[in-house]
Amino acid sequence: MDLATCMKKMELVGVLAFATVDSDGAPQIRNISAIHYEPDAIYFFTARGKNFCKELLEDGRVQILCYTKYKEMIRMSAKAYAVPEEEQAKWRDIIFEEQPYLANVYPGDTRSIGIIFCIDRAEVEYFNLGVNPIFRDTYTLGGGTITKKGYNITEKCIGCGKCRTKCPQRCIEEGKPYRIQQNHCLHCGNCYENCPVKAIVRE
């Protein structure tokens, strides 16, 4: 798996869930399909009068989620921004050409009510729950950064092996200290809760 494949899977899924936070701090989720994919960015359309647009303009932080029929999940964490005014028509026309249904929603020149946003810096997380052990990885789009998550076993480990017996994905290897195979870890915390000497730390 790599970033390009993740992006292609998102494009094939088509409808993505976009999560934002409103001015009261309440989470908001919308399904968006008016999207155009470039190798190093995604562009999407929404109407200026929508609360979604307001939240993006005020804050910009967004998480995007897609789920495939193969039990794969891809999550993109980013900050969206409105493309420059001189580029709005270009990207809007591209999106309307690729998504013909939009002409029924915004016929003729009513499409001008729309605004195009871009994401070109993001953290992209891939999870495959349809394999055993599960597989996960993280990639960056543009200059995005990766936020550490999950659990690690420290030098306090006494080698008792209790963490290994409690791991639902059997992804802990013997060693000094024991080691978690991060690409197969669920981040469930079962090892953390059952370590008798608190040798496991949460990132």
Side-chain angles (χ1 to χ4, degrees):
M1 185 57 56
D2 55 23
L3 175 65
T5 306
C6 284
M7 298 283 281
K8 192 61 180 177
K9 286 178 180 288
M10 293 173 74
E11 185 175 3
L12 289 172
V13 167
V15 180
L16 308 181
F18 280 63
T20 56
V21 176
D22 68 18
S23 56
D24 295 322
Q28 304 291 331
I29 298 177
R30 287 89 172 180
N31 287 331
I32 303 294
S33 59
I35 306 168
H36 169 73
Y37 293 82
E38 291 284 324
D40 55 357
I42 66 170
Y43 296 83
F44 59 97
F45 170 98
T46 189
R48 288 194 300 273
K50 291 182 177 287
N51 286 338
F52 180 44
C53 185
K54 178 175 180 284
E55 291 151 16
L56 291 170
L57 290 172
E58 289 178 350
D59 187 296
R61 289 177 298 169
V62 64
Q63 277 200 332
I64 303 169
L65 187 67
C66 85
Y67 198 75
T68 77
K69 65 180 181 179
Y70 302 108
K71 309 304 179 189
E72 300 166 293
M73 184 172 68
I74 300 167
R75 179 170 60 201
M76 179 181 285
S77 303
K79 192 157 189 176
Y81 64 91
V83 304
E85 186 59 37
E86 62 271 20
E87 296 181 21
Q88 286 284 329
K90 167 191 168 182
W91 294 111
R92 187 167 56 237
D93 290 348
I94 288 172
I95 290 172
F96 270 71
E97 183 178 345
E98 293 177 348
Q99 306 286 346
Y101 81 92
L102 285 171
N104 296 324
V105 184
Y106 296 99
D109 63 4
T110 65
R111 70 175 64 180
S112 64
I113 191 60
I115 185 169
I116 306 299
F117 288 88
C118 177
I119 291 172
D120 55 12
R121 294 166 56 92
E123 177 184 48
V124 181
E125 299 170 271
Y126 171 82
F127 310 84
N128 189 336
L129 303 179
V131 295
N132 190 286
I134 65 99
F135 177 80
R136 69 187 306 142
D137 209 350
T138 307
Y139 316 98
T140 58
L141 173 68
T145 57
I146 294 176
T147 303
K148 281 191 173 183
K149 300 182 182 76
Y151 297 86
N152 278 298
I153 302 173
T154 69
E155 295 296 329
K156 293 181 181 178
C157 173
I158 60 173
C160 69
K162 191 165 186 182
C163 59
R164 191 178 185 198
T165 65
K166 295 293 184 179
C167 176
Q169 290 297 307
R170 303 173 308 283
C171 69
I172 299 178
E173 298 177 327
E174 286 187 43
K176 296 182 180 181
Y178 275 49
R179 188 181 73 85
I180 299 170
Q181 299 174 61
Q182 296 296 335
N183 281 356
H184 302 300
C185 179
L186 282 170
H187 297 178
C188 69
N190 211 25
C191 60
Y192 173 81
E193 291 188 4
N194 284 280
C195 178
V197 294
K198 307 301 180 188
I200 300 174
V201 295
R202 184 176 190 168
E203 297 286 0

